[in-house]
Amino acid sequence: MNKMRVLCTAGLLALASLGASGQILIGQTAGITGSVAASVNETIAGAQLVIDAVNAQGGIHGEKVEVLRMDDGFDVKRAAENARVLIEDRKAVALFMSRGTPHSQAIIPVLDKHGVALIGPSTGAMVLHQPVQRHVFNVRSSYQREAEKAVTHLLTIGVDRIAVVHVTDSFGQDALEGAMKGFDKGKAKPAVIVPADRDKPDYASIVPKIMAGEAKAVVWIGSGTAVVEGVKALRAGGSAAQVVTLSNNASSGFIKQLGDASRGVIVTQVFPNERSIGQPMVKEALGLARAKGQNELSPAALEGFASAKVLVEALRRAGPKPNRAKVIAALEGLRDFDLGGGLAVSYSPQDHSGIDFADLSIISDGKFKR
């Protein structure tokens, strides 16, 4: 990934000089290492397709887009400190694609203090949608919508004993609320609800509760490695229950980590099928990927691609030498911006919600099938 920098709180790992002129500086903090690294790095790769293409054509108003990335290891405190460094010390014009619900929440105070936009946080938390956060501009759909659709799907196909495992943080509570909406609409109740620690889930306690609830399906709300190990523990415990997880785990890396346990796992999606090459956004992304020698996309890469398209459009509309206020004004004036194939993004001072889209895919033969 050219024109990419990775920073860390322990020291600066620069791939090029920070002092170059003619650059629009964008900051990003995310779990480049740690439990969500696989999907984070796929979103970064997808975003970089857009940024590299724009820079190859001379940039935006003659300035190239430079993304400074800091690794927070999926740690909330590090995410907040990274955001401060990017905004106060590095003078980023905007922040881009943070990862994690509590992590993104922790960034909001520094956004509000300095009037900086966060574009495309890689989380579908409703708390970032309603009430409207002045400086947060969502691109993806909400976790509540995904979780509701997951439960509705299972009930529709006759699976009525559904367990819900949810991580005990703001992400888990948010998605749980969506799942409960699905149960309410289907006039059903969960077989069991099991909380799980975000960093150290106790599978020896979680799996027996699922088994005791005689669950035929499990909606597993968690991130990366925690869900991978949970699915493996469930299978080792003798359960054949269908597992559904949310789009934060929609990455090729997640499938690889699951290994033989991946078959039949359902992952909710918030973007079109990455193999639908006739879909305009997918066709555009795949063309840029193939030009770099990459023959496939992942759902996570498409999320990064879509968010970067919104970022670039906002910078274009902000005009030459964009500042923080101009970027926010450009975003709030964005109406029906087509990402491709009718997937439109619109913002206003009263609405920063982004796309309203959710789908399901099943992992089969090591790939997502819809």
Side-chain angles (χ1 to χ4, degrees), residues 68-82:
L68 272 63
R69 295 186 169 98
M70 294 187 73
D71 180 13
D72 57 41
F74 206 50
D75 179 83
V76 174
K77 290 182 179 179
R78 283 174 65 186
E81 174 60 15
N82 287 356

Side-chain angles (χ1 to χ4, degrees), residues 159-219:
V159 179
D160 57 1
R161 294 204 61 80
I162 306 169
V164 180
V165 179
H166 69 94
V167 64
T168 53
D169 63 10
S170 52
F171 158 52
Q173 292 297 325
D174 184 60
L176 176 61
E177 186 174 336
M180 295 309 297
K181 289 179 181 177
F183 284 113
D184 290 343
K185 286 186 177 180
K187 296 180 171 54
K189 294 185 180 298
V192 61
I193 298 175
V194 186
D197 183 80
R198 180 168 67 89
D199 298 317
K200 296 180 180 179
D202 183 6
Y203 302 114
S205 171
I206 293 169
V207 170
K209 290 175 183 176
I210 295 171
M211 302 282 282
E214 299 180 346
K216 301 300 181 185
V218 182
V219 176

Side-chain angles (χ1 to χ4, degrees), residues 310-329:
V310 174
L311 167 68
V312 165
E313 184 65 17
L315 294 175
R316 280 199 182 108
R317 296 188 183 208
K321 304 296 180 184
N323 60 30
R324 294 166 176 178
K326 287 180 179 179
V327 170
I328 291 172

Side-chain angles (χ1 to χ4, degrees), residues 237-322:
S239 174
Q242 176 79 68
V243 176
V244 186
T245 190
L246 303 187
S247 66
N248 61 307
N249 294 319
S251 72
S252 298
F254 178 72
I255 297 176
K256 290 176 182 177
Q257 286 179 308
L258 277 170
D260 293 340
S262 68
R263 184 177 296 274
V265 173
I266 294 177
V267 183
T268 57
Q269 304 291 338
V270 290
F271 290 98
N273 190 333
E274 68 281 0
R275 291 186 305 283
S276 297
I277 58 175
Q279 204 280 341
M281 185 178 75
V282 175
K283 183 178 181 180
E284 180 186 5
L286 189 58
L288 292 174
R290 283 174 173 168
K292 289 188 168 188
Q294 304 165 20
N295 293 320
E296 292 185 341
L297 298 170
S298 70
L302 273 184
E303 178 176 350
F305 186 84
S307 295
K309 289 194 74 172
V310 174
L311 167 68
V312 165
E313 184 65 17
L315 294 175
R316 280 199 182 108
R317 296 188 183 208
K321 304 296 180 184

